[in-house]
Amino acid sequence: MIALTVNGKTHSVDVSPEMPLLWVLRDVIGLTGVKFGCGMALCGACTVHVNGEAVRSCVLPVSVAVGKKVVTIEGLAPNGTHPVQRAWVAQQVPQCGYCQSGMVMAVAALLAKKPAPTDADIDAEITNICRCGTYTRIRQAIHAAAKKA
Ligand code: FES
Ligand code: FES
């Protein structure tokens, strides 16, 4: 058994220590807000926080998260009230929505580190891929969230 703390709750999961964290979150614990995109740490759809850092959970063995705080989109803020979530709604960012939970988690981690990121910071740190091309509104929403965070 592996004990994991996810969104403030402890889960005992009977999985191999090598299983990617993403699989454990989605398939074992049932948190389906986190998405599978590429499975190769390229697209960022699977981004969650581990001890406050944005990580690509599709390539992270679950054993690396033991003893740390894992947060998924479901645990980011009660009732979706995180400044990034509010800005996403206000700017109507999502199209299909598939990439967006990973985007929001990546941006929330960025703003926790850099409360007022420049466009260059955003280019360097937010490398998530959106097939729908919502990048312009993502950038606007990041700047809007930065003012409120
Ligand atoms: S699914 Fe993890 S980065 Fe694409
Ligand atoms: S909103 Fe569709 S992939 Fe980003």
Side-chain angles (χ1 to χ4, degrees), residues 99-125:
C99 70
Q100 298 289 332
S101 59
M103 286 284 185
V104 166
M105 296 308 281
V107 171
L110 169 64
L111 292 184
K113 260 195 315 195
K114 282 191 184 152
T118 63
D119 282 336
D121 293 331
I122 294 168
D123 290 344
E125 302 271 345

Side-chain angles (χ1 to χ4, degrees), residues 35-47:
K35 303 300 184 204
F36 178 91
C38 63
M40 297 169 70
L42 298 171
C43 73
C46 64
T47 304

Side-chain angles (χ1 to χ4, degrees), residues 76-118:
L76 186 63
N79 308 322
T81 53
H82 188 282
V84 175
Q85 290 170 309
R86 286 186 191 275
W88 247 238
V89 173
Q91 306 285 331
Q92 292 285 291
V93 173
Q95 296 272 321
C96 80
Y98 197 84
C99 70
Q100 298 289 332
S101 59
M103 286 284 185
V104 166
M105 296 308 281
V107 171
L110 169 64
L111 292 184
K113 260 195 315 195
K114 282 191 184 152
T118 63

Side-chain angles (χ1 to χ4, degrees), residues 4-8 21 25 48-51 65 68-72:
L4 272 189
T5 305
V6 184
N7 300 336
L21 176 61
L25 292 172
V48 298
H49 296 174
V50 175
N51 278 359
K68 298 179 181 159
K69 287 184 184 165
V70 178
V71 176
T72 69

Side-chain angles (χ1 to χ4, degrees), residues 5-84:
T5 305
V6 184
N7 300 336
K9 225 173 120 187
T10 303
H11 297 264
S12 289
V13 290
D14 188 10
V15 298
S16 156
E18 297 304 314
M19 183 181 276
L21 176 61
L22 172 62
W23 299 11
V24 178
L25 292 172
R26 281 187 62 88
D27 297 344
V28 181
I29 299 178
L31 292 165
T32 54
V34 59
K35 303 300 184 204
F36 178 91
C38 63
M40 297 169 70
L42 298 171
C43 73
C46 64
T47 304
V48 298
H49 296 174
V50 175
N51 278 359
E53 292 287 329
V55 301
R56 295 191 170 182
S57 61
C58 64
V59 293
L60 194 78
V62 64
S63 57
V64 175
V66 171
K68 298 179 181 159
K69 287 184 184 165
V70 178
V71 176
T72 69
I73 190 76
E74 289 89 344
L76 186 63
N79 308 322
T81 53
H82 188 282
V84 175

